[in-house]
Amino acid sequence: MSRTPGLNTICVHAGTKRDPLTGGVNTPCHGSSSYLHPNPHTGEVAYPRYSNTPSQKAPAEKIAALEGAEAGLVLASGMAAVTTAILAFAQKGDHLIFQSGLYGGTQYFLRDQLERMGISFDFALAEDPGSFAGAIRPNTKLIYVETPNNPLLKITDLARIAELARANGLISIADNTFASPVNQNPLKLGIDMVVHSGTKYLNGHSDLVCGAIAASQKHMQKVHQVMVNLGGSLNMQDCQLLERGLKTLGIRVARQNQNAAQMADFLAKDKRVKKVYYPGLNNHPGHEVAQKQMKGMGGMLSFELAAGPKEAARLMSSLKVTIPAISLGGVESLICLPCQTSHVHLSPEQRQAEGVTDSLLRLSLGIEEIEDLINDMDQALSRALS
Ligand SMILES: Cc1ncc(COP(=O)(O)O)c(C=O)c1O
């Protein structure tokens, strides 16, 4: 009896291309930038910038299968994915709507680049779908959200955003980096396009920078054209690493979900901690929507100490297992101050308005033993506050 493959079967097998020359079970790394032309093997012009070599197609097809998309593309960074997806659907004179509190790099792009291209935009509130409706103008083309967002783990109701976009003929894009396709599939909720920083959970080993986009064939044709023009394809060696990372995505994220839930519980009960941001906690404002649209609550959380920025910095340097470092989603637990890292390009006023305070700590749970991580956090809290 045939059945639809489950998550870990997709992770291991979807898109992977056996080596026809040797019978090797992994997709070969095609190390050529030059291919025969005319090409008797593929019948098309093969060139890595077009992202049409088997090494590039394999992880792209795996990600598309994981997101339930007709097609996917891998790119040179998460920002290449974000910018290519947006620019595929926006031109001079258009108006776009973005959720406020996006990853700082995405906001930097909007403020630094979009306006000078003659594209205007407004921000709407993650927790208030009505504010997206209120921002729509006659020339609005696109709605862009990020849920859970970086770093406050705000939750946006994806089904409502998708419905609003459909009703108004707009393209909807969701940055699914924090959830990963293991925990959330925006396309299945009606969103048109998903973008990822593949640097994070998709690869999962903190050893490469990449991005991904997944959507319908029709939308991906436009995205592909813009990617070819902008030149943000992913090199073959990184495609191979990414494909290897994707094979364990399901089991890594399941473990990270568990670790984050237990760490959130520990921190929420600790008097030395003022506030914990984690969608799995009952008191998180997006908890109900998260339960509706996410299969797991993710491996990310943020928290504020009862003390200030000095103590937060001391906490980071007192940790012995968790590493004070930028980025997230790897097998090792990482902690950072978003005001100095992911949101450093925002002005202090902009950070203030979004709730990214100078003492907010963002924690990415790895796959270590949770007892070791909690024990480490406990001793670092004591040192930081002594
Ligand atoms: C939510 C989110 N989107 C996009 C990006 C950009 O990804 P990259 O650094 O791979 O370009 C990041 C990076 O931290 C992110 O957190």
Side-chain angles (χ1 to χ4, degrees):
M1 199 175 75
S2 76
R3 58 168 249 129
T4 314
L7 171 71
N8 288 303
T9 310
I10 295 175
C11 286
V12 174
H13 294 292
T16 293
K17 299 174 196 326
R18 310 256 132 73
D19 182 358
L21 204 61
T22 64
V25 298
N26 291 313
T27 309
C29 181
H30 295 96
S32 296
S33 59
S34 191
Y35 288 79
L36 289 178
H37 187 72
N39 192 325
H41 301 280
T42 65
E44 61 179 349
V45 181
Y47 190 51
R49 182 164 54 79
Y50 301 166
S51 209
N52 59 3
T53 67
S55 312
Q56 294 165 312
K57 284 183 178 173
E61 286 172 19
K62 209 182 272 297
I63 292 164
L66 284 164
E67 286 290 13
E70 285 174 7
L73 260 185
V74 290
L75 297 97
S77 68
M79 282 312 299
V82 168
T83 56
T84 303
I86 293 171
L87 293 176
F89 296 97
Q91 56 190 16
K92 192 171 168 188
D94 286 346
H95 171 257
L96 319 181
I97 303 172
F98 293 91
Q99 174 191 312
S100 66
L102 296 172
Y103 161 62
T106 306
Q107 294 197 46
Y108 190 28
F109 162 70
L110 308 182
R111 296 194 164 102
D112 210 43
Q113 307 290 332
L114 276 195
E115 250 160 28
R116 70 190 187 89
M117 292 177 184
I119 300 167
S120 62
F121 58 89
D122 281 303
F123 287 109
L125 300 173
E127 314 87 333
D128 176 13
S131 68
F132 286 87
I136 295 174
R137 296 190 200 159
N139 59 340
T140 303
K141 288 285 153 53
L142 177 155
I143 299 183
Y144 182 104
V145 299
E146 178 184 301
T147 179
N149 84 326
N150 182 356
L152 288 170
L153 289 303
K154 286 186 185 161
I155 302 295
T156 314
D157 190 327
L158 288 168
R160 286 189 67 182
I161 294 295
E163 204 181 296
L164 180 71
R166 285 271 144 86
N168 289 277
L170 312 178
I171 295 282
S172 53
I173 303 181
D175 184 329
N176 203 27
T177 300
F178 263 42
S180 93
V182 176
N183 289 326
Q184 182 171 271
N185 296 125
L187 302 184
K188 293 184 183 163
L189 298 166
I191 295 288
D192 292 314
M193 183 164 294
V194 165
V195 295
H196 278 278
S197 168
T199 316
K200 315 300 189 302
Y201 289 100
L202 297 186
N203 177 56
H205 292 76
S206 307
D207 54 5
L208 70 89
V209 171
C210 67
I213 309 178
S216 65
Q217 287 284 6
K218 184 173 141 224
H219 290 326
M220 289 310 289
Q221 263 168 17
K222 270 189 134 172
V223 169
H224 184 260
Q225 192 183 330
V226 173
M227 188 208 68
V228 167
N229 286 328
L230 295 179
S233 65
L234 185 63
N235 72 73
M236 289 79 88
Q237 290 78 14
D238 282 347
C239 283
Q240 196 174 39
L241 274 180
L242 171 61
E243 192 189 342
R244 182 168 70 176
L246 282 165
K247 290 182 183 179
T248 55
L249 178 72
I251 53 177
R252 280 188 283 108
V253 171
R255 170 67 169 226
Q256 287 163 312
N257 285 346
Q258 278 175 13
N259 279 357
Q262 289 189 50
M263 181 61 85
D265 228 36
F266 165 76
L267 293 170
K269 287 181 184 139
D270 197 301
K271 295 267 176 319
R272 297 165 292 185
V273 176
K274 187 166 77 184
K275 188 157 185 187
V276 181
Y277 300 86
Y278 180 65
L281 291 174
N282 288 335
N283 64 359
H284 186 284
H287 181 64
E288 244 175 67
V289 178
Q291 279 195 314
K292 193 180 71 178
Q293 69 188 19
M294 296 177 76
K295 289 169 270 180
M297 294 294 141
M300 298 296 303
L301 62 85
S302 292
F303 62 103
E304 295 259 12
L305 299 184
K310 227 175 55 215
E311 287 78 5
R314 198 154 356 120
L315 173 101
M316 289 209 304
S317 61
S318 303
L319 287 161
K320 295 189 167 74
V321 181
T322 294
I323 308 167
I326 63 164
S327 203
L328 60 107
V331 290
E332 58 290 288
S333 295
L334 302 174
I335 191 163
C336 72
L337 280 165
C339 69
Q340 294 175 4
T341 55
S342 60
H343 287 64
V344 71
H345 293 299
L346 269 63
S347 67
E349 294 74 31
Q350 283 163 348
R351 283 197 294 270
Q352 187 74 24
E354 289 184 5
V356 181
T357 68
D358 290 350
S359 53
L360 182 77
L361 288 153
R362 190 192 72 189
L363 178 59
S364 167
L365 277 298
I367 63 166
E368 302 96 332
E369 302 300 330
I370 188 62
E371 292 79 12
D372 293 330
L373 295 173
I374 289 179
N375 185 60
D376 188 34
M377 183 61 74
D378 191 26
Q379 67 78 24
L381 279 165
S382 299
R383 274 171 181 254
L385 301 169
S386 64

